[in-house]
Amino acid sequence: MTPSDTLKNRQALRRQYRQLRNQLSDEQQITAASSCLSVCLQSTTLSRAKIVSCYLANDGELDPQALMQFCWQHNIQVLLPVLDPAKEGHLIFVDYQPTSPTRANVYGIPEPIITIDNTVPIENIDLIFTPLVAFDNTGNRLGMGGGYYDRTLAAIVENKLSTQLIGLAHECQQAIQLPTDSWDIPLNGIATPAQFFKID
Ligand SMILES: Nc1ncnc2c1ncn2[C@@H]1O[C@H](COP(=O)(O)OP(=O)(O)OP(=O)(O)O)[C@@H](O)[C@H]1O
Ligand SMILES: [Mg+2]
């Protein structure tokens, strides 16, 4: 496959899997979110974590709202990724509480507002729950195509950080085998409403 075939393939895969997750009903989304929280509690170190990053669901993504509620109730700090105003193409992680004001970013996704003391360096984060468009059972992740997570999470590999990367997904987002490239950062696990894929 040539590089342009890979690109075409990724774009076709994104269309296919985005369509599948957008076809889920509101009821299916709610059931999936609640089952996925149970899977995370059984299979990840969530209940022992001190600082966790989540995301606000968009475009049919598995909704981590119940997971965030669990964290707030158990004194686990919740962060959200925010487009880094100082480093193009990167994310920074910002404290998020139920009362935190948000503002839509250039993609229309709400983000907490950055202040002088509400960002947390990646090395302090125990678990990062990432959204994804598709995953496979070897931990490969296909995102929306911006490369934001890949650029930001590269620090985990480069600095051998212990931060765990867990993808959250609907069952319909599982691919047999995804194409990968040198910059793709693989996941340590994927939680779906039905099961946990642990990657060694
Ligand atoms: N570490 C990096 N350094 C420079 N460019 C990068 C890096 N990671 C990704 N990119 C660029 O980002 C673009 C999109 O990457 P990719 O297709 O893997 O996105 P994605 O994984 O779907 O998105 P995301 O990481 O936001 O979920 C690629 O064309 C690649 O050149
Ligand atoms: Mg990628």
Side-chain angles (χ1 to χ4, degrees), residues 10 14 131 141-151 154 183-184:
R10 282 181 177 233
R14 279 189 186 100
R141 170 183 179 278
L142 184 74
M144 290 286 273
Y148 290 96
Y149 275 99
D150 285 323
R151 288 188 200 88
W183 59 78
D184 286 315

Side-chain angles (χ1 to χ4, degrees), residues 44-97:
T44 71
T45 52
L46 177 60
S47 56
R48 278 183 278 127
K50 291 188 173 59
I51 307 182
V52 165
S53 176
C54 290
Y55 57 88
L56 297 181
N58 177 51
D59 192 60
E61 290 164 351
L62 193 293
D63 190 348
Q65 196 67 41
L67 206 144
M68 292 195 272
Q69 293 287 349
F70 174 90
C71 291
W72 287 322
Q73 284 160 5
H74 292 82
N75 286 318
I76 300 167
Q77 186 180 9
V78 176
L79 311 176
L80 290 182
V82 170
L83 300 181
D84 189 341
K87 209 171 172 191
E88 205 180 327
H90 289 249
L91 302 168
I92 50 172
F93 297 93
V94 178
D95 181 68
Y96 181 60
Q97 294 171 29

Side-chain angles (χ1 to χ4, degrees), residues 27-159:
E27 203 181 329
Q28 285 172 313
Q29 282 285 354
I30 292 165
T31 310
S34 140
S35 302
C36 193
L37 170 61
S38 308
V39 168
C40 286
L41 289 175
Q42 281 164 21
S43 319
T44 71
T45 52
L46 177 60
S47 56
R48 278 183 278 127
K50 291 188 173 59
I51 307 182
V52 165
S53 176
C54 290
Y55 57 88
L56 297 181
N58 177 51
D59 192 60
E61 290 164 351
L62 193 293
D63 190 348
Q65 196 67 41
L67 206 144
M68 292 195 272
Q69 293 287 349
F70 174 90
C71 291
W72 287 322
Q73 284 160 5
H74 292 82
N75 286 318
I76 300 167
Q77 186 180 9
V78 176
L79 311 176
L80 290 182
V82 170
L83 300 181
D84 189 341
K87 209 171 172 191
E88 205 180 327
H90 289 249
L91 302 168
I92 50 172
F93 297 93
V94 178
D95 181 68
Y96 181 60
Q97 294 171 29
T99 54
S100 298
T102 61
R103 187 165 49 200
N105 67 19
V106 289
Y107 299 104
I109 300 170
E111 294 180 336
I113 293 157
I114 302 167
T115 65
I116 45 166
D117 61 358
N118 71 349
T119 67
V120 174
I122 192 165
E123 55 268 29
N124 292 3
I125 308 177
D126 300 304
L127 281 176
I128 297 178
F129 290 103
T130 76
L132 52 83
V133 173
F135 70 95
D136 66 25
N137 68 4
T138 58
N140 295 317
R141 170 183 179 278
L142 184 74
M144 290 286 273
Y148 290 96
Y149 275 99
D150 285 323
R151 288 188 200 88
T152 307
L153 303 180
I156 296 178
V157 179
E158 279 161 21
N159 303 317

